[in-house]
Amino acid sequence: MKRSLIYLAIALLLPAVPASGAPVSGDAAAGADDLLPKIAKVFAGNSVAVSFTLRSGDSSLGDGTALLTSSAYKLITPITEFWCDGSSRWIVDRVAEEVIVEPVEGELSSILSSLRESYPFEASFEGRRATAVRLAPDSAADSSGAAVSAGTSGAAVSAVQDGDLNFGDMRDLTIYSDPASGRVLGCTVNYGGAPLTFVVKSISVNPLTGAESFAFPTASLSDSYIVTDLR
């Protein structure tokens, strides 16, 4: 799977959580063209904690957690950890005992400026009725879910594809919410292989966390780890 798809999906799991932390109404959650501004608003002066279960197709990849701000994040999965303090990203492979450190710049803002959203449509998620909104880097979907032209700038999309945040083979990402409460249920990433599904267990909005909390402590690693610093 593409590493970028994992933290991209987590960054987009938050549209129905307002800054107060209370759920929005179903109408607000389902409003067309509201999703991306809502995500940006959540991150304004806040950090967001997410716990989730991750699946690839029908296979469970285990549970994970994420802590996110507008420019920094920490994503912990059973196999790989992603740490980013806004200027550097640490990709920690606990199985292979390897760490890659690389420079980054404006990941979340690049995502939000390059994605386009569909009109909301009815769907099913984990066996329950849901309101769905599809997001894509160069296309959107109409209310039936069919791909249509988004009228988006090709230059903006290319800048993201060629920069730090590579959309790779991502075709679209669909976020599902409860029609009544607006609570986010999860999302599915379609990239041509077995879809990645994130089932949200909990989301909370908290006071802003300092960037130092998102810098991976490489000094704490054992000597068996190989650290490759590309900065």
Side-chain angles (χ1 to χ4, degrees):
M1 72 182 67
K2 299 289 185 180
R3 293 183 311 213
S4 60
L5 294 178
I6 296 179
Y7 53 78
L8 169 62
I10 289 296
L12 293 172
L13 279 173
L14 313 169
V17 185
S20 65
V24 299
S25 68
D27 290 341
D33 302 322
D34 287 343
L35 188 59
L36 296 175
K38 197 172 294 180
I39 295 173
K41 184 177 180 180
V42 169
F43 280 112
N46 297 298
S47 61
V48 181
V50 184
S51 64
F52 59 90
T53 297
L54 178 62
R55 291 204 312 267
S56 176
D58 295 329
S59 301
S60 175
L61 302 180
D63 295 337
T65 61
L67 181 65
L68 306 129
T69 72
S70 61
S71 60
Y73 58 83
K74 181 165 54 177
L75 170 61
I76 309 298
T77 74
I79 299 174
T80 309
E81 300 176 14
F82 302 87
W83 297 58
C84 177
D85 64 1
S87 59
S88 297
R89 176 169 60 235
W90 292 260
I91 302 171
V92 185
D93 189 328
R94 292 294 185 182
V95 177
E97 296 190 329
E98 296 179 346
V99 179
I100 296 176
V101 191
E102 51 193 17
V104 297
E105 183 178 353
E107 287 190 302
L108 184 59
S109 60
S110 295
I111 294 171
L112 297 180
S113 65
S114 300
L115 290 173
R116 295 296 181 268
E117 64 184 277
S118 73
Y119 289 102
F121 57 95
E122 291 187 2
S124 175
F125 184 77
E126 297 295 297
R128 61 186 298 178
R129 182 170 167 264
T131 297
V133 174
R134 182 162 295 140
L135 299 152
D138 57 0
S139 66
D142 62 19
S143 59
S144 67
V148 297
S149 172
T152 188
S153 168
V157 173
S158 297
V160 175
Q161 290 175 331
D162 296 336
D164 281 324
L165 187 66
N166 189 345
F167 281 108
D169 297 327
M170 189 187 83
R171 297 178 180 177
D172 55 51
L173 181 150
T174 304
I175 298 178
Y176 302 89
S177 60
D178 181 89
S181 67
R183 182 177 65 87
V184 175
L185 302 175
C187 75
T188 299
V189 182
N190 174 24
Y191 65 101
L196 287 177
T197 300
F198 293 79
V199 182
V200 172
K201 299 170 67 176
S202 67
I203 299 178
S204 62
V205 180
N206 309 293
L208 189 63
T209 302
E212 64 276 2
S213 301
F214 299 92
F216 182 77
T218 53
S220 67
L221 295 171
S222 66
D223 293 338
S224 60
Y225 274 79
I226 299 174
V227 179
T228 303
D229 196 331
L230 303 177
R231 293 174 293 181

